[in-house]
Amino acid sequence: MKGLLWLSLLLQAIAFTCADIQPDQRVLGNDAVETTNGDSFHAEVAAQSGGQAAREPGAELVDSALAELHKLYQPLHHRTRKQHGVFGTLLHLALKAVPTLRLSAPTPESSSKHALSGTLLQATKLLEESARQNNTDALYILAEMNFYGNFSHPRNFPAAFDYYHQLASLNGNSSALYMIGMMYSTGIGGAVERDQARALLYYTFAANKGHTRAEMTVAHRHHAGIGTPKNCESAVRYYKRVADKAIAWYRSGPPGGRAWISESHRIADDHGGAYGEGASAASAGGNALKAHPNSDAYASIEDIIEYLDLMSQKGDFKASFNLGRIYYEGQRGLDKNMALARKYFFDVTQKYWRKNRPVDNPKTGLDRTAGKAAGYIGRMYMRGEGVEQDFNRAKVWFERGDILKDAQSQYGLGLLYLNGYGVKADAGQAIDYFKMAANQDYAAAQVQLGYLYLDHGSNEDVATANHYFELAARWANMEAYYHLAEANNIGVTHDRSCSAAVSYYKNVAERAEPLVSSWAEANLAYESGDLELALLEYLGAAEQGYEKAQNNVAHILDPDKSRLPITKLLSRHPTPPLLQDPTLALIQWTRSSRQGNIDAMVKMGDYYLYGIGTDADVDKAVQCYTGASEYHQSAQALYNLGWMHEHGVGLDQDYHLAKRYYDAALATNEEAYLPVALSLLKLRAKSAWNTFTHGRINSIQDEPTPRKEWSLSDWINNFLQDDDAQFYDEFYGEEYEDDISGGEPLDIDDGVMESVAILGLAAALVFLIMYRQQRQQAARRQEEETRRQQQQQQQHQGVPAGGNQQQPLQQERGLFPRPGDPDFGQWPAGVVGH
């Protein structure tokens, strides 16, 4: 009898342990709707009692409280994000600078701690009375209200921790365990001190009970080594569990898988990065917007839609198609609108098909665009998006797109024939359509071909399937990532790689945002101006390993957004205490930098340099700046290193090295011209004074030019080639440098003896010619002297001058006879003859 009693108590304990609110559903952002897990305690009792659920004590009070809370339910909405021009920005800053007078407004501290009243007070009392009866629903709702401030309830983090702890101790609720772990990890609200060991313990308890976000968090901690040594095997095990859920959720949607709008982004990037436009690695160098200022690169989505709609009304079919895609796919801040998408797609197709036949002489490019629009319309009918699901109509539109070689239409036809949607299943025909789409590099078709090859099972087929998955992975296809993760985890086609498997599983898990994260709620809170709620929502995603969420948390908590005091003077309200946690900001900057964010690494250096959130440590600052500078993408990091060399902070004071870092900063980002130019001007003045006073600091020096020792072969080669090289350089110019391909450079040593011999023969020939000419000139002078003497003798003897008249004396000639001289013809003959 005693044994049966113990067995009964054990079964009851197990039943209460299984009682659990659905891990991934909670009261978020003033949402009072709450669902329970299928294997919860309520479901178990209902199944055992023939569908009659046995309610917990105090359940009626919870129902009454929820009825009251529904009266307060006000969902958040997207706030229109409009880009302001220069004048709009100046006006916005001017309005901020205008002082405002408040006669009786309470301070933010007092308003945040206002007493409950009215409907909220009544609902809270009902929930507290139910919680005293250990009602799990009441405990969970009260914990969420005190943590997130749902229904405008004042946040009280110690009370939230108590409710979570009571719920976890009562029946091991996985959501409560997860939240306790997050509070220990972050120390948010000062309810408990940060304790990474306890955080990992509670996270692990929740993960082992199947809590998806806890599984991601534990996987990330083992992967990054947070609170525990790095362990790839543990990380891959937990990440695989999340990836399995994500891929099952993705495939549970309509044909082709679920579709959603990706909400993950860095809020700092909306303003150009952590250091602003042009100064951050996120908006400089290769990441900078290099479009023409008059283009739409800097325009908001509202302006783009307005412009495209105007062009569409003028008959621009490309504008109509682009509008259809925008409304069909949606984006952050713009919800999907299937009705408008279908309208614009039909506008394109009606320009090409009239009475179910193509028009004569369509505009250039209309056929291709119409084929793509037909593919989207067929996809909408196949999936039932904005219209009633109709496979026959989908087939008609896909066939139209197929005639125009549209890849999406071919993929859609492949799905119809593969699964027998509205047609007789035909795997062979499906494969043909998939191959046609895959040949156009359509990722979804490549994934389907990978599936079909995997079914065959042979080694060659598995290798071919893996090849198709790798092709699709180039387009960030979720299913391709999942199968590559499986292949690397098992070791298919190559050796097992745990690190590669973790990377792929992590990508799969993080892409299923609606299933595993609170990105949408966080963005809504941030756009609505509720920074505290946004911080709490981003914090959960950051703990799960989202690098962008870690960056967002750090950016919200960053007290060093600007070194200028004007930003603080323009601020209307003091910073709430919840947003004053520089230590947590440093932790998140560090985790973001470990996932490859360069600006986060530079921010870490700033925190260590100025002692923000930690004790000042110049050596760590130098390490952070040096690590960021090695990527040659952050001009800020290079500039900081130059500044440290200039002033001798953490590094040896060296003006020459400081100049080199300043120059490198300018080479990395041309927008750093002004600060670099001013710094170099000051640096050169200091270096000149240091040189004049014979200071001990290494001054700026010209880069030494190495002097080359010229050998005899170098001199000869330079003599032979300089004139020709100069001629060709002047003739062709720089534009021909890349087009003219030359051979190997002349090897001087191989022909040096031949060159010397040729030069020697030429010199000997010139010497002989000159020697012969000198002898000829000497003989002529002697003959002329003899003739002159004979003439003088004849004149003394009385001989008439005309009787023996001599030719005029030959003028002195140069080295060679002049043209027209009688000896000119004899000169070359004489040269040859001698």
Side-chain angles (χ1 to χ4, degrees):
M1 190 68 181
K2 189 174 181 179
L4 292 176
L5 179 61
W6 278 107
L7 180 59
S8 176
L9 292 174
L10 179 61
L11 291 176
Q12 290 182 12
I14 295 175
F16 276 106
T17 303
C18 295
D20 190 10
I21 296 174
Q22 184 175 348
D24 303 312
Q25 298 290 335
R26 59 171 176 77
V27 183
L28 286 172
N30 298 345
D31 186 0
V33 179
E34 181 180 359
T35 58
T36 56
N37 199 357
D39 60 349
S40 66
F41 173 69
H42 309 292
E44 277 190 23
V45 177
Q48 294 174 1
S49 60
Q52 299 279 336
R55 310 193 68 188
E56 294 183 2
E60 294 80 6
L61 298 173
V62 174
D63 294 339
S64 301
L66 290 177
E68 295 295 325
L69 292 176
H70 271 291
K71 299 176 183 178
L72 302 173
Y73 176 60
Q74 295 180 353
L76 297 174
H77 297 282
H78 283 286
R79 186 174 59 183
T80 301
R81 295 178 290 109
K82 190 75 173 178
Q83 298 285 347
H84 297 285
V86 176
F87 295 103
T89 303
L90 293 176
L91 179 61
H92 179 67
L93 294 176
L95 291 176
K96 277 191 170 184
V98 175
T100 57
L101 299 177
R102 297 180 178 84
L103 299 178
S104 59
T107 61
E109 291 78 5
S110 61
S111 62
S112 63
K113 299 179 181 179
H114 66 276
L116 298 177
S117 61
T119 303
L120 182 60
L121 175 61
Q122 183 178 357
T124 303
K125 288 182 177 180
L126 292 172
L127 290 173
E128 289 176 348
E129 184 179 351
S130 178
R132 283 191 288 270
Q133 302 179 34
N134 289 332
N135 185 280
T136 56
D137 293 334
L139 289 171
Y140 186 75
I141 295 174
L142 284 171
E144 295 283 281
M145 290 171 62
N146 281 276
F147 188 87
Y148 290 100
N150 296 337
F151 311 106
S152 300
H153 191 281
R155 293 186 179 89
N156 189 332
F157 292 100
F161 180 83
D162 292 338
Y163 283 123
Y164 282 132
H165 193 273
Q166 182 180 351
L167 181 59
S169 303
L170 183 65
N171 62 2
N173 182 277
S174 62
S175 295
L177 291 169
Y178 169 76
M179 293 302 297
I180 294 174
M182 187 168 72
M183 296 184 78
Y184 271 117
S185 174
T186 61
I188 192 71
V192 292
E193 294 184 1
R194 292 187 184 91
D195 191 332
Q196 301 302 331
R198 286 191 177 184
L200 180 59
L201 181 66
Y202 281 103
Y203 279 145
T204 306
F205 285 157
N208 290 339
K209 291 177 68 65
H211 193 282
T212 304
R213 298 187 185 185
E215 289 172 337
M216 279 191 70
T217 305
V218 173
H220 174 64
R221 287 183 165 250
H222 284 291
H223 179 52
I226 301 174
T228 182
K230 290 185 178 182
N231 190 327
C232 183
E233 296 300 331
S234 297
V236 78
R237 183 172 68 254
Y238 283 105
Y239 268 132
K240 174 175 169 52
R241 289 162 61 172
V242 182
D244 291 342
K245 296 178 184 178
I247 206 67
W249 170 79
Y250 172 78
R251 292 171 178 170
S252 65
R258 289 182 178 268
W260 62 93
I261 299 175
S262 178
E263 294 282 349
S264 61
H265 78 292
R266 300 183 190 91
I267 56 179
D269 291 353
D270 294 339
H271 311 287
Y275 291 96
E277 189 73 35
S280 308
S283 61
N287 299 322
L289 293 176
K290 297 183 179 180
H292 193 271
N294 295 328
S295 71
D296 60 356
Y298 298 91
S300 64
I301 185 61
E302 293 83 6
D303 294 335
I304 294 174
I305 290 176
E306 183 179 356
Y307 171 76
L308 291 177
D309 183 64
L310 177 62
M311 297 302 296
S312 175
Q313 293 176 14
K314 293 182 178 181
D316 189 338
F317 59 87
K318 291 184 178 179
S320 299
F321 175 74
N322 288 330
L323 276 173
R325 283 193 58 183
I326 290 174
Y327 282 117
Y328 178 81
E329 297 174 356
Q331 61 175 300
R332 181 176 54 85
L334 179 67
D335 295 332
K336 296 183 179 182
N337 191 325
M338 294 301 172
L340 284 176
R342 183 167 172 266
K343 170 188 174 297
Y344 284 112
F345 287 141
F346 268 117
D347 288 344
V348 178
T349 58
Q350 287 174 359
K351 288 180 172 63
Y352 185 80
W353 284 285
R354 299 286 176 82
K355 297 181 180 180
N356 297 328
R357 62 180 298 272
V359 298
D360 298 329
N361 301 322
K363 294 182 180 180
T364 304
L366 177 58
D367 53 347
R368 182 178 179 85
T369 306
K372 293 180 178 179
Y376 275 102
I377 295 174
R379 177 183 174 89
M380 295 174 73
Y381 276 112
M382 180 181 68
R383 296 167 57 87
E385 296 173 326
V387 294
E388 186 178 352
Q389 192 174 38
D390 191 332
F391 294 126
N392 293 326
R393 288 191 176 185
K395 182 174 179 292
V396 171
W397 284 105
F398 283 148
E399 288 175 344
R400 289 183 178 183
D402 175 44
I403 295 175
L404 300 176
K405 308 299 181 184
D406 175 58
Q408 183 172 219
S409 299
Q410 294 166 348
Y411 167 71
L413 287 172
L415 284 181
L416 295 180
Y417 280 103
L418 180 65
N419 300 288
Y421 296 145
V423 295
K424 184 179 179 180
D426 189 339
Q429 197 165 358
I431 291 175
D432 293 338
Y433 281 118
F434 287 145
K435 285 185 176 180
M436 286 188 290
N439 290 335
Q440 298 188 55
D441 209 9
Y442 194 75
Q446 293 167 343
V447 169
Q448 290 296 331
L449 283 176
Y451 289 155
L452 295 172
Y453 275 104
L454 277 179
D455 291 340
H456 292 173
S458 65
N459 293 335
E460 295 181 358
D461 292 332
V462 171
T464 304
N466 192 68
H467 172 68
Y468 278 115
F469 290 136
E470 290 176 348
L471 291 177
R474 294 181 296 113
W475 299 99
N477 184 277
M478 182 176 177
E479 289 186 290
Y481 279 152
Y482 177 77
H483 284 282
L484 289 176
E486 293 281 87
N488 281 277
N489 191 31
I490 300 174
V492 179
T493 70
H494 51 74
D495 295 337
R496 180 177 183 271
S497 176
C498 181
S499 59
V502 166
S503 178
Y504 283 122
Y505 280 135
K506 186 176 188 291
N507 271 286
V508 174
E510 291 183 352
R511 288 183 182 277
E513 295 174 6
L515 175 69
V516 302
S517 70
S518 58
W519 272 105
E521 294 84 357
N523 291 339
L524 280 175
Y526 182 79
E527 293 169 6
S528 300
D530 192 346
L531 294 184
E532 296 183 53
L533 178 59
L535 172 67
L536 297 175
E537 299 287 4
Y538 284 132
L539 197 58
E543 287 290 295
Q544 293 172 243
Y546 283 95
E547 183 275 324
K548 295 178 181 179
Q550 294 168 349
N551 196 278
N552 289 350
V553 172
H555 180 74
I556 292 175
L557 296 175
D558 185 19
D560 193 41
K561 290 186 176 69
S562 176
R563 306 298 298 176
L564 299 176
I566 187 173
T567 57
K568 298 179 180 179
L569 295 177
L570 293 178
S571 179
R572 294 186 179 183
H573 305 294
T575 304
L578 184 62
L579 304 183
Q580 299 179 14
D581 194 344
T583 302
L584 181 59
L586 176 58
I587 293 174
Q588 298 301 328
W589 283 129
T590 304
R591 294 179 183 177
S592 176
S593 68
R594 289 182 178 177
Q595 298 198 62
N597 190 291
I598 299 175
D599 287 331
M601 191 177 299
V602 181
K603 272 291 184 180
M604 285 176 58
D606 294 345
Y607 277 47
Y608 284 118
L609 179 63
Y610 298 109
I612 303 174
T614 184
D615 296 333
D617 193 330
V618 180
D619 292 337
K620 288 186 178 180
V622 171
Q623 293 176 6
C624 293
Y625 293 145
T626 304
S629 66
E630 291 176 353
Y631 294 94
H632 296 284
Q633 295 183 22
S634 176
Q636 185 69 48
L638 292 165
Y639 182 89
N640 291 351
L641 288 173
W643 180 87
M644 299 179 83
H645 270 298
E646 178 184 354
H647 297 88
V649 178
L651 295 171
D652 294 336
Q653 194 170 15
D654 191 321
Y655 294 153
H656 183 68
L657 286 178
K659 178 183 180 300
R660 293 185 63 179
Y661 276 112
Y662 287 146
D663 292 339
L666 182 59
T668 302
N669 183 7
E670 295 178 355
E671 296 188 31
Y673 173 78
L674 181 60
V676 169
L678 295 176
S679 299
L680 285 176
L681 181 63
K682 180 185 66 173
L683 181 65
R684 287 188 178 278
K686 294 169 67 175
S687 177
W689 177 257
N690 178 72
T691 302
F692 178 75
T693 59
H694 302 287
R696 293 178 296 177
I697 305 173
N698 185 26
S699 298
I700 299 175
Q701 303 173 2
D702 294 333
E703 296 292 338
T705 302
R707 297 185 60 183
K708 181 179 179 181
E709 296 294 335
W710 290 72
S711 62
L712 176 61
S713 60
D714 294 330
W715 282 105
I716 296 173
N717 180 67
N718 185 63
F719 175 78
L720 294 177
Q721 292 187 351
D722 272 356
D723 294 339
D724 291 342
Q726 182 178 3
F727 170 76
Y728 283 111
D729 288 343
E730 294 176 355
F731 181 79
Y732 287 105
E734 296 180 355
E735 64 271 14
Y736 291 93
E737 290 181 359
D738 296 335
D739 297 333
I740 299 178
S741 59
E744 295 294 330
L746 179 63
D747 190 352
I748 302 303
D749 293 336
D750 294 342
V752 62
M753 297 307 297
E754 291 82 353
S755 300
V756 171
I758 293 173
L759 288 176
L761 291 175
L765 181 61
V766 171
F767 174 78
L768 291 174
I769 293 173
M770 294 178 63
Y771 177 75
R772 182 180 182 280
Q773 291 299 324
Q774 291 293 334
R775 293 191 61 181
Q776 288 180 350
Q777 290 179 3
R780 290 191 186 96
R781 293 192 190 97
Q782 188 176 0
E783 291 176 358
E784 290 174 357
E785 184 67 24
T786 302
R787 290 175 184 174
R788 189 178 297 109
Q789 291 177 0
Q790 291 177 356
Q791 289 178 358
Q792 291 177 357
Q793 290 177 1
Q794 290 176 358
Q795 290 177 358
H796 289 297
Q797 294 175 1
V799 178
N804 191 14
Q805 187 176 1
Q806 297 288 338
Q807 295 180 354
L809 295 177
Q810 296 181 356
Q811 296 180 357
E812 185 69 19
R813 295 182 297 178
L815 180 62
F816 303 104
R818 296 181 179 180
D821 193 299
D823 294 335
F824 180 78
Q826 299 178 1
W827 174 76
V831 173
V832 176
H834 288 80

